[in-house]
Structures are given as C-alpha cells and as structure tokens.
Amino acid sequence: MAAQHVVVALGPVDADTVAPVLGERVTFVTDPTPDELAVAEGAIVRADRHVDADLLARMPRLRVIARTGVGVDLVDVTAASARGIPVVVTPNSGSRAVAEGVLAMALHLTKRLNPLTELVREGRWAERAGLPVGDLDGATMGIVGYGRIGRRVGELAAVFGMRTLAYDPFSPPPSDVACADLDELVAAGDVLTLHTPLTEGTRHLVDEHLLARVKQGAILVNCGRGGLLDLDATLAALETGRLSGVGLDVFDPEPALYHPLFDHPNVVLTPHLMGMTRRAMTLTFVDAARGVADVLADRPPAAVADPDYHLRKATA
C-alpha cells in the first residue's frame, strides 16, 4: 500500500530505529528536499536545528514536530502552537544517562583523576601524598532543580552513601530533602548540580554572589543549561579555592567558545553528550517517533512542550 504520510528528519536521525515505530504507512526522509518539506506532515528534530516561522511556512502540511530531548530553545513553539502543531518532547529517554554523567563528573573531580593521571604519567609517584583524594560517601549532594534528572541524581547519590538536598522553586521537592532557599543549599552541598530550566530569572543563577556563599571546596557540575553559569565568576571561585572542581557538559553558546576556565586543571569538559549515550539516543529516537505516530493517528502524544496543547485539543 502506498505511503500516506511523509515524515522528515531535521538533523541526523537513525532511520533504522524510527521507521519501524512510524509504521509502514509512513515514508521517512532523512535529508529532505524543499519539495519533501512542503508535503511533510511530521518532523523529527535534533537539538541543534532551528525551527522558526520561516521553516514552518515552508511546511504547510506539518501536523507535528518531535524534538529529540526536552529543550526547545531553537523551536518557535508559539508559532507552531498558533497553527495547532504540537511540539513533542522526549523527557524520559535521556534523563538517566544525564544523571549518570553528573555522578561521573563528581567522581572524576572528587577522586582527582586528571592530576593523578598526570602524576603517574610523568613519573612523579612520590608526590602522590600532596594530592588529597575525596569521597562521595558521607558527602552532601545539592540538587538545583528536582525534575526527572534531579530526582535520578538523588537516587544515584544515595547509592554512594550521599545525603541529598534539593531546591526547586517550580516544583518543590519532598520535605525530607527540600531546602527553603538556594543559600541554604549551596552552603551545605559538597557537590552542587544544576538541573533547572533556563529562563530570564535563572540566567547566570550561579554568579559571584552565589559562589561567595558556596561551601568551601565544593564541586560544581552543570549538565543542565549553559546559561545558568557565569563562567568568569566560576573561574574566580576555582582560583580562590572556593570551588575545588567544575564539570561542564553544557555551554552558552554551543558549540562552546573558548574561555580561560577550560584550561584550569580542576575542570572536566564534555561537548553536551551526557544525555547522548548509545542507549539514550535509541530511546530518544523511539520516543520521538512514537510521538509523531501518535499525532498522525489522532492519539494524544505523551509529552509536549506547550502545556496548553492537551487542553486546547480537549475543547476543540
């Protein structure tokens, strides 16, 4: 039977993974031409691709956008919603991988793996006593933003014997881990990890004023959004010893522009890949394709960026 729907990829998408989920009645196009964009009813969009009003105008038959991940900074959700196009997101697929990345960075910095590697490599074995190694066991994990990823970080931290504290002004954590304010959290956290959305109110949330209140020698990890962090202030806190280590998987802008912080020996950097493990990417593609298939079949998608979408559909 001839295909009845065209779905396109905007960015690299594994066709072998998504095609079986989309079904036999869908033609999936990995590198669409302008003509194929014009007839596309669905789009699976990678994080670095812009979906603006101009692109939407070139896709008059579009019924659904599926974003691989949860960030929709580069998607004009308002313009899509005005046309009744839901922007599907995939919040569950990568959250566990990102949480593992947070713990990996925390372990890397606590156990001083970079300087210890250099010590052995350079034949400076006798200097090992001068590089104190820390423990996660007994330390406090301070989580800023207690959504799916933040909660998973807390679960993993508990396995390491850590105490968990959390602060989230949007969705208050349970009372047994909740901090009344951010100052209380940063004063107590041996490891601080950022998972709050980037808004005008949270841009440079971690600045010189907040860092002045951080527990001496704390480790800071950002696998959330690059704009949450003031890099100049972070470098200053490292140089004074207020912070003992920094792990960054996200940057503002991306790709990352060079900053002197990157050269500090107590910094570990990854190119926004903690949520892109092989397993996580497969799950993300499956969830995105399932969201597209749901909309094309007039079923409600599991998760959308516009919180009013389901209400509008119910009252339409």
Side-chain angles (χ1 to χ4, degrees):
M1 179 171 55
Q4 297 183 6
H5 305 288
V6 173
V7 174
V8 298
L10 299 178
V13 176
D14 182 9
D16 290 339
T17 299
V18 304
V21 181
L22 292 171
E24 295 180 355
R25 300 175 65 185
V26 171
T27 297
F28 182 63
V29 182
T30 57
D31 188 16
T33 65
D35 288 343
E36 288 164 331
L37 290 176
V39 298
E41 294 181 65
I44 298 178
V45 183
R46 296 299 302 273
D48 61 347
R49 299 306 167 105
H50 286 263
V51 179
D52 55 16
D54 176 67
L55 178 59
L56 291 172
R58 290 186 281 131
M59 303 178 73
R61 295 184 60 185
L62 193 64
R63 294 174 55 192
V64 55
I65 299 165
R67 161 73 171 84
T68 57
V70 294
V72 289
D73 311 52
L74 302 183
V75 178
D76 192 334
V77 177
T78 301
S81 297
R83 279 182 46 188
I85 301 169
V87 179
V88 172
V89 290
T90 59
N92 296 313
S93 51
S95 56
R96 296 172 81 88
V98 174
E100 287 185 13
V102 171
L103 268 294
M105 287 185 168
L107 275 169
H108 179 100
L109 294 164
T110 300
K111 299 302 182 184
R112 308 295 300 277
L113 297 187
N114 265 348
L116 291 174
T117 297
E118 292 300 314
L119 186 150
V120 175
R121 184 177 288 144
E122 297 170 4
R124 297 184 290 115
W125 188 279
E127 299 175 29
R128 61 182 184 157
L131 287 171
V133 176
D135 292 296
L136 294 185
D137 185 31
T140 297
M141 176 70 79
I143 304 170
V144 183
Y146 206 61
R148 293 176 179 85
I149 297 173
R151 292 193 299 271
R152 181 59 178 168
V153 169
E155 293 169 359
L156 296 178
V159 175
F160 281 92
M162 301 183 76
R163 172 193 181 211
T164 294
L165 295 176
Y167 171 76
D168 190 331
F170 303 102
S171 179
S175 58
D176 59 329
V177 300
C179 283
D181 55 45
L182 195 53
D183 285 352
E184 178 186 348
L185 181 81
V186 301
D190 297 290
V191 178
L192 301 173
T193 178
L194 308 179
H195 303 288
T196 190
L198 179 62
T199 66
E200 286 306 310
T202 61
R203 180 170 293 278
H204 285 190
L205 176 71
V206 179
D207 58 12
E208 60 179 330
H209 301 292
L210 183 70
L211 288 166
R213 300 189 290 275
V214 165
K215 185 176 182 179
Q216 187 73 26
I219 287 169
L220 175 63
V221 176
N222 187 12
C223 291
R225 289 289 179 265
L228 298 173
L229 203 62
D230 181 332
L231 294 185
D232 291 339
T234 303
L235 176 57
L238 269 173
E239 290 176 336
T240 63
R242 172 64 67 176
L243 293 175
S244 65
V246 172
L248 302 179
D249 183 51
V250 290
F251 304 87
D252 183 20
E254 292 184 353
L257 299 178
Y258 170 77
H259 189 280
L261 175 72
F262 299 174
D263 294 330
H264 197 283
N266 294 332
V267 170
V268 59
L269 307 169
T270 53
H272 204 161
L273 278 173
M274 290 299 97
M276 297 173 66
T277 62
R278 289 188 298 271
R279 180 173 182 271
M281 286 311 303
T282 297
L283 293 173
T284 298
F285 288 145
V286 167
D287 285 352
R290 187 173 291 129
V292 169
D294 284 339
V295 174
L296 295 182
D298 293 320
R299 297 187 298 264
V304 291
D306 181 355
D308 296 326
Y309 169 75
H310 290 299
L311 176 62
R312 288 198 304 272
K313 286 290 289 184
T315 57

